[in-house]
Amino acid sequence: MTRLLFLGPPGAGKGTQAKVLADRCEIPHISTGDILREAKAKGTPLGQEAQGYMERGELVPDRLILDLIRDRLQQVDAQKGWILDGFPRNPSQASFLDQLLQEIGQRYDGVVNLEVPDEVVVSRMLARGRSDDNEETIRHRLEVYRQQTAPLIDFYSDRNSLIGIDGDRPVEEITESLQQLIQPS
Ligand code: ADP
């Protein structure tokens, strides 16, 4: 059973790595960013409400995210493990998750922190060209990351749950390090 949280700045490659690892473990890759982008593309009420925040590089309000996570972790496919990517993203989401996991009788095995320097994430995001990836929004997302998400590094490291992974390496090498984590050879 693998249950992991993925932390790291925007553009660190969380999505890429989380997806590969989830496929290999045959467990769902739960990305709040993907869920919100899909809602936006479909024009659902969630998507419409989230759109402005995402375009400005702000976090969407917690109330849009929490119920969604509660429902998702209780679906059948999530009973054999999961990788959470992009959640939690601030201390209140982290406390919510602790409480939720306790309530539903689950726990996480560890928190992967993908470490990548600022210059690298900015150039990666400019290269990928997503609609919220212009230089100004990118800088703002990094600022939001530093203020709201980076404190979670201490939060999880205080619980001895943090696993630092150097994300400034070729994709396959990082995948290899992650694979070792779940299946030490
Ligand atoms: P990245 O990590 O590259 O910034 P994501 O796909 O994880 O991209 O997120 C894109 C956007 O979706 C964020 O900038 C934010 O607006 C919103 N978002 C995603 N996850 C959350 C979350 N847990 N809480 C609030 N907003 C979120």
Side-chain angles (χ1 to χ4, degrees), residues 42-172:
K42 285 189 181 149
T44 66
L46 169 67
Q48 286 176 12
E49 206 176 336
Q51 182 162 7
Y53 296 98
M54 294 172 79
E55 277 163 7
R56 289 190 300 276
E58 306 277 347
L59 297 186
V60 308
D62 285 353
R63 68 183 157 77
L64 296 184
I65 298 279
L66 301 185
D67 284 347
L68 183 157
I69 291 290
R70 179 189 296 281
D71 292 344
R72 188 64 190 87
L73 290 185
Q74 292 187 87
Q75 281 168 27
V76 174
D77 64 342
Q79 304 317 304
K80 56 183 171 67
W82 37 255
I83 294 181
L84 266 183
D85 159 20
F87 184 93
R89 229 178 174 97
N90 61 28
S92 77
Q93 294 183 3
S95 333
F96 168 88
L97 181 64
D98 274 354
Q99 208 185 325
L100 171 66
L101 292 178
Q102 204 179 2
E103 238 174 82
I104 63 179
Q106 298 187 14
R107 57 193 303 281
Y108 52 79
D109 307 316
V111 181
V112 170
N113 186 32
L114 267 187
E115 296 155 349
V116 182
D118 280 9
E119 322 82 77
V120 177
V121 299
V122 172
S123 65
R124 282 189 191 170
M125 283 190 276
L126 284 174
R128 98 186 152 180
R130 213 168 65 190
S131 70
D132 55 346
D133 281 345
N134 60 71
E135 184 140 12
E136 198 190 325
T137 315
I138 289 171
R139 299 255 170 230
H140 188 57
R141 296 219 313 271
L142 269 175
E143 200 49 44
V144 169
Y145 166 77
R146 259 186 232 108
Q147 286 178 2
Q148 305 194 45
T149 311
L152 299 185
I153 295 173
D154 283 345
F155 179 90
Y156 289 116
S157 133
D158 288 348
R159 292 160 183 232
N160 296 319
S161 301
L162 201 74
I163 306 155
I165 297 279
D166 177 6
D168 189 13
R169 292 181 294 159
V171 173
E172 296 74 19

Side-chain angles (χ1 to χ4, degrees), residues 4-70:
L4 290 174
L5 312 181
F6 268 55
L7 273 186
K14 296 186 295 292
T16 307
Q17 297 296 339
K19 193 169 179 353
V20 174
L21 205 60
D23 282 351
R24 289 196 186 171
C25 301
E26 297 183 24
I27 53 177
H29 164 223
I30 303 174
S31 154
T32 43
D34 285 353
I35 294 171
L36 293 171
R37 274 186 292 278
E38 197 184 316
K40 199 174 108 180
K42 285 189 181 149
T44 66
L46 169 67
Q48 286 176 12
E49 206 176 336
Q51 182 162 7
Y53 296 98
M54 294 172 79
E55 277 163 7
R56 289 190 300 276
E58 306 277 347
L59 297 186
V60 308
D62 285 353
R63 68 183 157 77
L64 296 184
I65 298 279
L66 301 185
D67 284 347
L68 183 157
I69 291 290
R70 179 189 296 281

